[in-house]
Amino acid sequence: MASYQKLTEPKEGSKIKVLGPNKFEVPNDPIIPFIEGDGIGADLTRAMHTVINAAVKKAYDGKRKIHWFEVYAGEKAVEKYGEGQYLPEDTITALKEYSVSIKGPLTTPVGGGFRSLNVTIRQVLDLFACVRPVKYYKGIPSPVKHPEKVDMIIFRENTEDIYAGIEYRSGSAEAKKLRDFLISLDSKNKEKIREDAGLGIKPMGPFASKRLIKKAIQYAIDNGKSSVTLVHKGNIMKFTEGAFKDWGYEVARDEFGGKLITEAEVAGHTDKIIIKDRIADSMFQQGLLRPDEYSVLALPNLNGDYMSDALAAQVGGLGMAPGANMSDTIAVFEATHGSAPKYTNQDKANPGSLILSAVMMLVHLGWKEAADLVEKGINKTIGQKYVTYDLARQMEGATEVKCSQFGERIAENM
């Protein structure tokens, strides 16, 4: 058992055993840590527990059960651990020890502390892949004509690109030094970089890019997906994003025995996974006009950030957008939206994102039967137009219900 300062591990339940990269032994009674989150997090977490507990009980006739283990981050951590303790060491230890966990939305401290608690968790645990499925549930209001054509899963690199956080303020001594250094490398940079410019550095290398792309391709193989698309801005940034594309093709060739074929030959390989690439701005257009031609996307950090939210908007917004941050041994599933503090303890917000993130978690555990039940319950509940305010205001004839009532109805509709 781990040693904690202020946490007591559950008396019942067992740990998930990590047998190797992407290899786990899941007991029938796993202990799963959860972070309630800030703002609406408490409401969402209660609804998620209601739904997931009911699904597991129904799917396995009571022979399997999740033992929830609360750990702390954000405002609740400060209450328990003291001023400035937004992310206690106890929490990091638990997330490592138990391999699989789930969290609600967290608020970044204002005026100090971490730049982002979410980013810090990803960096400390080296959760290099942000995984975001984007899928339409019938009846959800959408701004596009055919949202049902959107069925993609995004693999976004989590450790490099802008997430490295290397930037210097306009007018600072550091920015001046960096500008002077860049001019020393190439005198043309004097014209390109104004004296008052703030400067940021965009590191991207083969190690981080290749492990992300490898995970995306392996997912496509394991789940019968038709293609993996490398999304980049390599026409402009040739040695970072252009290299991301090149490294992706190298992974397909060297790790998976891929072979290069022409566009004309693609149609004859319907039983194979096609690896292709698209310029980022073109991919945004493709996502609107021809989304059914894409299944798995692999992207550097910034492109992935934009693309995740843009595609989510087509299927109902972040309220119904699940996500996870993963390495090869640790997975933290999470709601993808903010903490909406103005709705704290109002039992009003849509718990869909967190519930669907828990569905991803069930699939990760190999408990697909329970995951399918939750999706069945969601589909039926939305079909009945029994929804929270964010969806009700966009749907004719909808019954607006509380967060808890939405969760209860999903459980009933399984």
Short mmCIF file of all heavy atoms in Angstrom, two decimals, residues 73-101:
data_model
loop_
_atom_site.label_atom_id
_atom_site.label_comp_id
_atom_site.label_asym_id
_atom_site.label_seq_id
_atom_site.Cartn_x
_atom_site.Cartn_y
_atom_site.Cartn_z
N ALA A 73 -7.60 17.72 -5.68
CA ALA A 73 -6.87 18.74 -6.46
C ALA A 73 -7.76 19.97 -6.51
O ALA A 73 -8.98 19.89 -6.33
CB ALA A 73 -6.55 18.23 -7.86
N GLY A 74 -7.16 21.13 -6.76
CA GLY A 74 -7.94 22.35 -6.85
C GLY A 74 -8.36 22.88 -5.50
O GLY A 74 -7.67 22.70 -4.49
N GLU A 75 -9.51 23.53 -5.46
CA GLU A 75 -9.96 24.21 -4.26
C GLU A 75 -10.18 23.26 -3.09
O GLU A 75 -9.91 23.58 -1.93
CB GLU A 75 -11.24 25.00 -4.57
CG GLU A 75 -11.00 26.13 -5.58
CD GLU A 75 -12.28 26.67 -6.18
OE1 GLU A 75 -13.37 26.20 -5.81
OE2 GLU A 75 -12.19 27.59 -7.03
N LYS A 76 -10.68 22.07 -3.36
CA LYS A 76 -10.93 21.10 -2.30
C LYS A 76 -9.62 20.61 -1.68
O LYS A 76 -9.55 20.30 -0.49
CB LYS A 76 -11.73 19.92 -2.85
CG LYS A 76 -12.54 19.19 -1.79
CD LYS A 76 -13.55 18.25 -2.40
CE LYS A 76 -14.37 17.56 -1.32
NZ LYS A 76 -15.36 16.61 -1.88
N ALA A 77 -8.56 20.56 -2.48
CA ALA A 77 -7.24 20.17 -1.96
C ALA A 77 -6.72 21.23 -0.99
O ALA A 77 -6.12 20.91 0.04
CB ALA A 77 -6.26 19.97 -3.11
N VAL A 78 -6.93 22.50 -1.33
CA VAL A 78 -6.49 23.59 -0.45
C VAL A 78 -7.22 23.51 0.90
O VAL A 78 -6.62 23.71 1.96
CB VAL A 78 -6.73 24.96 -1.11
CG1 VAL A 78 -6.44 26.10 -0.13
CG2 VAL A 78 -5.85 25.11 -2.35
N GLU A 79 -8.51 23.20 0.86
CA GLU A 79 -9.28 23.05 2.10
C GLU A 79 -8.71 21.94 2.98
O GLU A 79 -8.67 22.07 4.21
CB GLU A 79 -10.74 22.74 1.79
CG GLU A 79 -11.50 23.88 1.12
CD GLU A 79 -12.91 23.46 0.69
OE1 GLU A 79 -13.36 22.37 1.14
OE2 GLU A 79 -13.54 24.20 -0.09
N LYS A 80 -8.25 20.87 2.36
CA LYS A 80 -7.78 19.71 3.12
C LYS A 80 -6.30 19.80 3.49
O LYS A 80 -5.90 19.39 4.59
CB LYS A 80 -8.02 18.42 2.31
CG LYS A 80 -7.77 17.14 3.10
CD LYS A 80 -8.22 15.93 2.30
CE LYS A 80 -8.03 14.64 3.10
NZ LYS A 80 -8.94 14.55 4.26
N TYR A 81 -5.48 20.38 2.59
CA TYR A 81 -4.03 20.36 2.78
C TYR A 81 -3.42 21.71 3.16
O TYR A 81 -2.28 21.77 3.59
CB TYR A 81 -3.34 19.83 1.52
CG TYR A 81 -3.52 18.36 1.29
CD1 TYR A 81 -4.66 17.87 0.66
CD2 TYR A 81 -2.56 17.45 1.70
CE1 TYR A 81 -4.84 16.50 0.45
CE2 TYR A 81 -2.72 16.08 1.49
CZ TYR A 81 -3.87 15.63 0.86
OH TYR A 81 -4.02 14.28 0.66
N GLY A 82 -4.17 22.79 2.93
CA GLY A 82 -3.64 24.09 3.30
C GLY A 82 -3.32 24.97 2.12
O GLY A 82 -3.33 24.55 0.96
N GLU A 83 -3.06 26.23 2.40
CA GLU A 83 -2.82 27.27 1.39
C GLU A 83 -1.75 26.86 0.38
O GLU A 83 -0.67 26.39 0.74
CB GLU A 83 -2.40 28.57 2.08
CG GLU A 83 -2.32 29.78 1.16
CD GLU A 83 -3.67 30.17 0.57
OE1 GLU A 83 -4.70 29.99 1.26
OE2 GLU A 83 -3.69 30.64 -0.57
N GLY A 84 -2.09 27.03 -0.90
CA GLY A 84 -1.14 26.76 -1.98
C GLY A 84 -1.06 25.30 -2.40
O GLY A 84 -0.41 24.97 -3.39
N GLN A 85 -1.74 24.40 -1.67
CA GLN A 85 -1.66 22.97 -1.97
C GLN A 85 -2.75 22.57 -2.97
O GLN A 85 -3.68 21.82 -2.65
CB GLN A 85 -1.78 22.16 -0.68
CG GLN A 85 -0.63 22.35 0.27
CD GLN A 85 0.66 21.76 -0.30
OE1 GLN A 85 0.71 20.63 -0.75
NE2 GLN A 85 1.71 22.56 -0.29
N TYR A 86 -2.62 23.07 -4.18
CA TYR A 86 -3.62 22.78 -5.20
C TYR A 86 -3.49 21.39 -5.79
O TYR A 86 -4.47 20.82 -6.29
CB TYR A 86 -3.54 23.81 -6.33
CG TYR A 86 -4.01 25.19 -5.93
CD1 TYR A 86 -3.12 26.18 -5.57
CD2 TYR A 86 -5.37 25.50 -5.93
CE1 TYR A 86 -3.55 27.45 -5.20
CE2 TYR A 86 -5.82 26.76 -5.57
CZ TYR A 86 -4.90 27.73 -5.20
OH TYR A 86 -5.34 28.97 -4.83
N LEU A 87 -2.30 20.84 -5.73
CA LEU A 87 -2.07 19.49 -6.26
C LEU A 87 -1.12 18.76 -5.32
O LEU A 87 0.09 18.69 -5.55
CB LEU A 87 -1.50 19.56 -7.68
CG LEU A 87 -1.37 18.23 -8.42
CD1 LEU A 87 -2.73 17.56 -8.58
CD2 LEU A 87 -0.72 18.43 -9.78
N PRO A 88 -1.64 18.18 -4.24
CA PRO A 88 -0.79 17.53 -3.22
C PRO A 88 -0.05 16.32 -3.78
O PRO A 88 -0.51 15.66 -4.71
CB PRO A 88 -1.78 17.11 -2.13
CG PRO A 88 -3.03 17.87 -2.40
CD PRO A 88 -3.06 18.15 -3.88
N GLU A 89 1.07 16.02 -3.17
CA GLU A 89 1.86 14.85 -3.55
C GLU A 89 1.05 13.57 -3.37
O GLU A 89 1.20 12.60 -4.12
CB GLU A 89 3.15 14.79 -2.73
CG GLU A 89 4.15 13.77 -3.22
CD GLU A 89 4.62 14.03 -4.65
OE1 GLU A 89 4.77 15.20 -5.04
OE2 GLU A 89 4.83 13.03 -5.39
N ASP A 90 0.17 13.56 -2.34
CA ASP A 90 -0.72 12.41 -2.14
C ASP A 90 -1.48 12.06 -3.41
O ASP A 90 -1.62 10.89 -3.78
CB ASP A 90 -1.76 12.75 -1.06
CG ASP A 90 -1.26 12.48 0.35
OD1 ASP A 90 -0.11 12.06 0.50
OD2 ASP A 90 -2.04 12.69 1.30
N THR A 91 -1.99 13.08 -4.07
CA THR A 91 -2.82 12.87 -5.27
C THR A 91 -1.99 12.29 -6.40
O THR A 91 -2.40 11.33 -7.07
CB THR A 91 -3.48 14.18 -5.69
OG1 THR A 91 -4.34 14.62 -4.64
CG2 THR A 91 -4.29 14.02 -6.96
N ILE A 92 -0.83 12.86 -6.63
CA ILE A 92 0.04 12.36 -7.70
C ILE A 92 0.42 10.90 -7.42
O ILE A 92 0.40 10.05 -8.33
CB ILE A 92 1.31 13.24 -7.81
CG1 ILE A 92 0.95 14.65 -8.29
CG2 ILE A 92 2.34 12.60 -8.73
CD1 ILE A 92 0.31 14.70 -9.65
N THR A 93 0.74 10.59 -6.16
CA THR A 93 1.10 9.22 -5.79
C THR A 93 -0.05 8.26 -6.08
O THR A 93 0.14 7.17 -6.64
CB THR A 93 1.47 9.14 -4.31
OG1 THR A 93 2.59 10.00 -4.06
CG2 THR A 93 1.84 7.72 -3.90
N ALA A 94 -1.28 8.67 -5.72
CA ALA A 94 -2.44 7.80 -5.93
C ALA A 94 -2.71 7.57 -7.42
O ALA A 94 -3.03 6.45 -7.84
CB ALA A 94 -3.67 8.41 -5.26
N LEU A 95 -2.60 8.63 -8.22
CA LEU A 95 -2.85 8.48 -9.65
C LEU A 95 -1.84 7.53 -10.29
O LEU A 95 -2.17 6.76 -11.20
CB LEU A 95 -2.80 9.85 -10.35
CG LEU A 95 -3.82 10.90 -9.88
CD1 LEU A 95 -3.70 12.16 -10.72
CD2 LEU A 95 -5.24 10.37 -9.93
N LYS A 96 -0.60 7.55 -9.79
CA LYS A 96 0.41 6.61 -10.27
C LYS A 96 0.13 5.19 -9.80
O LYS A 96 0.18 4.23 -10.57
CB LYS A 96 1.81 7.03 -9.77
CG LYS A 96 2.40 8.25 -10.42
CD LYS A 96 3.77 8.55 -9.79
CE LYS A 96 4.41 9.80 -10.39
NZ LYS A 96 5.69 10.13 -9.71
N GLU A 97 -0.16 5.06 -8.50
CA GLU A 97 -0.33 3.74 -7.88
C GLU A 97 -1.48 2.94 -8.48
O GLU A 97 -1.39 1.73 -8.64
CB GLU A 97 -0.58 3.92 -6.38
CG GLU A 97 0.65 4.26 -5.56
CD GLU A 97 1.52 3.04 -5.29
OE1 GLU A 97 0.96 1.95 -5.05
OE2 GLU A 97 2.75 3.19 -5.32
N TYR A 98 -2.56 3.64 -8.80
CA TYR A 98 -3.77 2.93 -9.22
C TYR A 98 -3.98 2.89 -10.73
O TYR A 98 -4.94 2.28 -11.21
CB TYR A 98 -4.99 3.52 -8.49
CG TYR A 98 -5.01 3.13 -7.03
CD1 TYR A 98 -4.47 3.96 -6.07
CD2 TYR A 98 -5.52 1.90 -6.65
CE1 TYR A 98 -4.46 3.58 -4.73
CE2 TYR A 98 -5.52 1.51 -5.31
CZ TYR A 98 -4.98 2.36 -4.35
OH TYR A 98 -4.97 1.98 -3.04
N SER A 99 -3.13 3.56 -11.48
CA SER A 99 -3.08 3.45 -12.95
C SER A 99 -4.26 4.07 -13.70
O SER A 99 -4.08 4.69 -14.74
CB SER A 99 -2.95 1.98 -13.40
OG SER A 99 -1.84 1.39 -12.79
N VAL A 100 -5.48 3.89 -13.21
CA VAL A 100 -6.67 4.40 -13.89
C VAL A 100 -7.44 5.29 -12.91
O VAL A 100 -7.72 4.87 -11.78
CB VAL A 100 -7.58 3.24 -14.36
CG1 VAL A 100 -8.88 3.79 -14.96
CG2 VAL A 100 -6.84 2.39 -15.39
N SER A 101 -7.79 6.50 -13.35
CA SER A 101 -8.52 7.43 -12.48
C SER A 101 -9.39 8.33 -13.35
O SER A 101 -9.31 8.31 -14.58
CB SER A 101 -7.55 8.27 -11.64
OG SER A 101 -6.63 8.95 -12.48
#
